Amino acid sequence: MPEWYHEFVDAAYSPTPDDLIVLFRLHPSEGFSIEEAAGRVASESSVGTWTEVKTMKPRIRALMAKAYSIRGNLVKVAYPIELFEPRNMPQILSSIAGNIFGMKAVDGVRIEDIRWPSRILRGFRGPRLGLDGLRKLFKTKERPLTATVPKPKLGLTAEEHAGAGYDAWVGGVDLLKDDENLSSQRFNAFERRVKESYRMRDKAEKETREVKGYLINVTAETNEMVRRAKTVKRAGGEIVMIDILTVGWAALQTMREVCQDLGLAIHAHRAFHAAFTRNRRHGMSMLAVSDVARAIGVDSLHIGTVIGKLDSPKEEVLALRNNLQQRQFQSVDPALDQDWGRIKSVFPTSSGGLHPGLVPQLMGLLGKDIVIQAGGGIWGHPDGGLAGARALRQAIDAVLSGVRLEEYAKTHSEIRRAIETWGVATYV
Ligand code: CAP
Ligand code: MG
């Protein structure tokens, strides 16, 4: 069989600043060496197929991707920029994250990270507000922002949902957030939720004299999402939430344009990510997902907690946080450096099984430039959501003033009752 995979491996190649680089973790199938696997991946994701073809031209050879670094199972592949259509994220991903995942020659293929040349990033907007813009909007510089999802996650009526929002807002929470699977169901129709929630939001703002936000989930078919974003704008909203992975990258790109015109920010929920990020041998890392989301332009994105209810290892969460916050992302294995240039930073959201007693440990791990989201950790408070919201803010205040939660609890009943219920974890 006329095979030419070895021509896609070139240890002497040194990438140009215009090359897009993908860091793969490859596990070859039995009978294949890592070089053979790397060559096949570089071939299939650029110009090749399973055999040599007679239609090949010298000018097309210039478009061949090159596996130029192989270290254990980690393989770096450089892609010439001409392979990609500017401003077309689905096309870029159909190339570098397309057929390769099913190749018989590899038992496992995982995209660990992507290095984006500035010429490609130039085609994407990046966040409209990002971390600094959201901080400005909510007039909070020094502490984490707080968010809460009313629970049960489905079933509350629009009135009950907005009422919960009101309790959370007056209790000190900044952001009411919809759950990922709440869109427009019979028990809680979107239009009705908009009407009730922004009415309560305005009331809470008046009473607290603080800026309050609502991460309302507009996730739907794309045209419907556009309609919903317009409805949010008319009602006085500033942010929409999108389940970025279930709607897909094309829809997110469309929504980023729509939100530019409407002047809305995007909160990105990552429901579905673990289907392909959790298996460390196959799929795509959350770090790579966060790259795509930042480039297209979400303003905040879930990163995990390390200590909460969902799988999120410490190294991964820290790398994600850094990649979203920093302009110059410094790689820690397995990752690639990234110069984000003019692309703004994203507010990382930490969520999933959090409660006030975990706040010291969480802030010890992730710092204060995060959004702390607690659903069950507020709505499960023995004295209700208002007390739960207060307890969350008290936990943050305690950490920022250097006081242990047990000490703070002596003079603050809401945090006392929270830690009686869920305990305290101390960061070591
Ligand atoms: C959290 C949450 C979020 C997860 C998503 C939930 O609720 O609303 O969707 O955090 O995961 O439905 O589980 P709780 P991640 O606060 O009650 O746990 O943030 O890892 O993307
Ligand atoms: Mg949720």
Side-chain angles (χ1 to χ4, degrees), residues 17 119 222 277 365 402 404 412:
R119 265 181 66 202
T222 310
T277 61
L365 281 163
R404 289 174 56 247
H412 296 82

Side-chain angles (χ1 to χ4, degrees), residues 309-377:
K309 72 177 183 187
L310 301 166
D311 176 58
S312 53
K314 183 173 166 183
E315 290 66 33
E316 182 188 300
V317 176
L318 289 177
L320 261 174
R321 180 203 59 177
N322 294 345
N323 189 43
L324 293 179
Q325 289 178 347
Q326 296 171 354
R327 182 169 295 248
Q328 302 281 345
F329 174 61
Q330 297 293 320
S331 77
V332 186
D333 239 9
L336 300 165
D337 291 349
Q338 180 67 51
D339 178 359
W340 283 103
R342 55 155 196 102
I343 304 257
K344 291 180 180 150
S345 48
V346 178
F347 222 137
T349 296
S350 193
S351 167
L354 294 178
H355 60 75
L358 292 176
V359 167
Q361 191 174 7
L362 187 74
M363 288 177 66
L365 281 163
L366 301 179
K368 63 178 175 55
D369 282 329
I370 52 169
V371 180
I372 300 180
Q373 190 294 128

Side-chain angles (χ1 to χ4, degrees), residues 207-325:
E207 287 172 20
T208 60
R209 293 163 181 272
E210 287 173 0
V211 187
K212 302 293 183 184
Y214 180 21
L215 313 176
I216 182 164
N217 190 5
V218 297
T219 298
E221 171 279 322
T222 310
N223 288 320
E224 181 58 28
M225 246 189 315
V226 174
R227 276 194 286 279
R228 289 182 190 178
K230 288 181 179 163
T231 304
V232 169
K233 184 64 190 179
R234 276 197 301 274
E238 303 90 357
I239 312 178
V240 292
M241 174 172 127
I242 300 175
D243 296 343
I244 58 171
L245 293 168
T246 52
V247 303
W249 297 121
L252 182 63
Q253 271 196 263
T254 301
M255 286 305 290
R256 177 63 186 86
E257 293 306 312
V258 169
C259 288
Q260 184 71 19
D261 294 343
L262 294 175
L264 292 171
I266 297 173
H267 175 78
H269 195 290
R270 59 177 181 165
F272 186 50
H273 81 94
F276 51 90
T277 61
R278 192 172 186 180
N279 179 345
R280 266 92 208 168
R281 276 171 69 96
H282 195 72
M284 181 161 167
S285 73
M286 190 55 211
L287 189 69
V289 172
S290 76
D291 272 6
V292 179
R294 182 173 176 177
I296 293 176
V298 305
D299 297 274
S300 51
L301 172 67
H302 288 238
I303 65 163
T305 59
V306 184
I307 53 181
K309 72 177 183 187
L310 301 166
D311 176 58
S312 53
K314 183 173 166 183
E315 290 66 33
E316 182 188 300
V317 176
L318 289 177
L320 261 174
R321 180 203 59 177
N322 294 345
N323 189 43
L324 293 179
Q325 289 178 347

Side-chain angles (χ1 to χ4, degrees), residues 149 151 153 177-181 269 302 309 351:
V149 180
K151 303 278 173 173
K153 60 162 72 195
K177 183 180 141 343
D178 282 355
D179 231 317
E180 66 284 351
N181 52 355
H269 195 290
H302 288 238
K309 72 177 183 187
S351 167

Side-chain angles (χ1 to χ4, degrees), residues 60-78:
I60 302 177
R61 293 189 81 86
L63 298 179
M64 289 164 67
K66 284 169 200 70
Y68 67 94
S69 156
I70 300 180
R71 215 162 30 87
N73 295 97
L74 292 176
V75 176
K76 289 183 192 165
V77 178

